[in-house]
Amino acid sequence: MKICTTVKEMHAAAHAARREGKRIGFVPTMGALHEGHLSLVRAAKAQSDTVVVSIFVNPVQFGPNEDLNRYPRPFERDRQLLENEGVDFLFAPSAEEMYPAGAITYVTVEGLSEKLCGKSRPRHFRGVTTVVAKLFHIIEPDLACFGQKDAAQAAIIRRMVRDLHLPVEIVVCPIVREPDGLAMSSRNAYLDPQQRRSALVLSRSLGRVVEVFGKGERNSDRLIEVGKQVFEDEPSVRLDYFEIVDPETLEPVVTVRGAALVAVAAFAGTTRLIDNTVLQP
Ligand code: PAF
């Protein structure tokens, strides 16, 4: 696996692969890799000839009081995991490389970026779309894999790709869960044993909504109420939002008639966790 740390080097390597007729699969990450990330790498590998993974803790998508400085950066472990998966290129630029001094250009998917996590993390999605647009421009992948766990992020990136006519196929891969149901996340590493147990309330609440939906309930307010009630048994976890929205527009759904995204975010201690499921009538 070749490691590229500059934009020039990465661009040249991707260009050379494309000239050889290779189909490029790309997985953008912030490192601290877990099985969820590795499932994306495997999906990219299955559908392309050359796999590029980026590790970049993108400062622009963190708010002023968020965890940028303490975000885990186990680079050597990540490198080894990617090597084991047969990744061809690892792009690991510095913040200065990605954001040259004085950079003032951003990519924003207006409207969608203020929904779900965008409400409590005001510039988060702007940071995500800006860095993903840069990465797409540097690597020019044929396809890029994202996790369904960040369902709003996936919808926003799909919209950016559509609106900007970017020639990249977006592949969204299923959520990977721990055996007890907790959605895998690099931030799970912050949880102490008690918080780790309490954090199961997220997947439990979604399971309860699916159960009630299965019995025929289609009214979103009532389904949301059922999900929120599960949080009442776990007062140590503070709910941020519990919403049922259209998976593409992220607009609230009143009655579930087509596919609907049930999305939840909550704090276990200071750690913000997200999870979701899709209801399919
Ligand atoms: O999902 C993530 O890890 C990040 O938001 C991404 C897509 C790598 C952009 O920094």
Side-chain angles (χ1 to χ4, degrees):
M1 181 175 72
K2 181 172 165 40
I3 301 178
C4 301
T5 56
T6 67
V7 168
K8 203 170 164 194
E9 207 182 356
M10 185 66 250
H11 193 257
H15 187 70
R18 234 182 348 274
R19 244 196 344 254
E20 285 172 26
K22 299 272 184 7
R23 181 170 158 82
I24 300 179
F26 173 48
V27 181
T29 82
M30 299 205 301
L33 304 177
H34 50 67
E35 272 303 313
H37 296 111
L38 300 184
S39 75
L40 304 182
V41 172
R42 288 167 201 148
K45 208 169 162 59
Q47 298 180 55
S48 56
D49 309 304
T50 297
V51 175
V52 181
V53 175
S54 63
I55 294 183
F56 179 61
V57 183
N58 176 32
V60 175
Q61 71 187 72
F62 287 78
N65 300 316
E66 293 183 349
D67 55 343
L68 173 62
N69 291 332
R70 71 166 182 148
Y71 199 84
R73 291 165 169 87
F75 185 79
E76 186 42 38
R77 181 182 167 276
D78 288 348
R79 190 197 62 72
Q80 192 59 57
L81 285 170
L82 296 175
E83 190 98 64
N84 295 348
E85 293 295 328
V87 167
D88 300 283
F89 294 98
L90 167 57
F91 182 42
S94 65
E96 296 72 33
E97 182 71 13
M98 285 301 278
Y99 296 98
I104 48 170
T105 304
Y106 297 93
V107 177
T108 309
V109 178
E110 291 185 1
L112 265 69
S113 295
E114 289 83 53
K115 303 261 167 35
L116 298 180
C117 295
K119 278 185 201 155
S120 46
R121 306 184 71 192
R123 293 189 165 177
H124 170 67
F125 287 126
R126 179 183 83 151
V128 170
T129 41
T130 299
V131 81
V132 171
K134 280 172 181 265
L135 291 165
F136 283 178
H137 181 61
I138 296 162
I139 295 157
E140 294 181 64
D142 294 279
L143 69 98
C145 298
F146 293 85
Q148 169 66 18
K149 186 173 78 74
D150 294 293
Q153 169 172 283
I156 291 168
I157 286 167
R158 270 198 300 266
R159 189 59 185 255
M160 173 183 82
V161 163
R162 195 199 79 146
D163 289 359
L164 297 181
H165 308 282
L166 301 179
V168 51
E169 179 192 342
I170 301 301
V171 176
V172 179
C173 301
I175 298 177
V176 179
R177 297 182 180 279
E178 300 286 355
D180 61 4
L182 184 69
M184 287 200 185
S185 163
S186 304
R187 290 190 167 99
N188 290 350
Y190 298 148
L191 303 172
D192 67 26
Q194 175 54 47
Q195 291 166 343
R196 171 67 184 73
R197 274 191 297 277
S198 306
L200 287 175
V201 66
L202 279 85
S203 53
R204 213 165 49 237
S205 67
L206 295 171
R208 183 82 186 105
V209 170
V210 170
E211 196 183 311
V212 174
F213 178 76
K215 289 183 179 151
E217 183 60 78
R218 294 291 180 269
N219 179 281
S220 285
D221 282 347
R222 283 199 286 275
L223 290 167
I224 290 169
E225 203 41 51
V226 158
K228 283 184 173 174
Q229 267 164 18
V230 178
F231 277 81
E232 285 170 16
D233 302 334
E234 203 61 78
S236 67
V237 178
R238 182 167 60 82
L239 192 59
D240 182 8
Y241 65 73
F242 201 106
E243 293 192 37
I244 301 186
V245 299
D246 179 284
E248 295 303 318
T249 65
L250 308 181
E251 289 292 345
V253 162
V254 177
T255 307
V256 182
R257 293 206 177 88
L261 175 71
V262 189
V264 57
F267 289 90
T270 55
T271 304
R272 191 171 181 284
L273 301 170
I274 57 173
D275 201 351
N276 70 79
T277 190
V278 176
L279 300 176
Q280 207 82 53

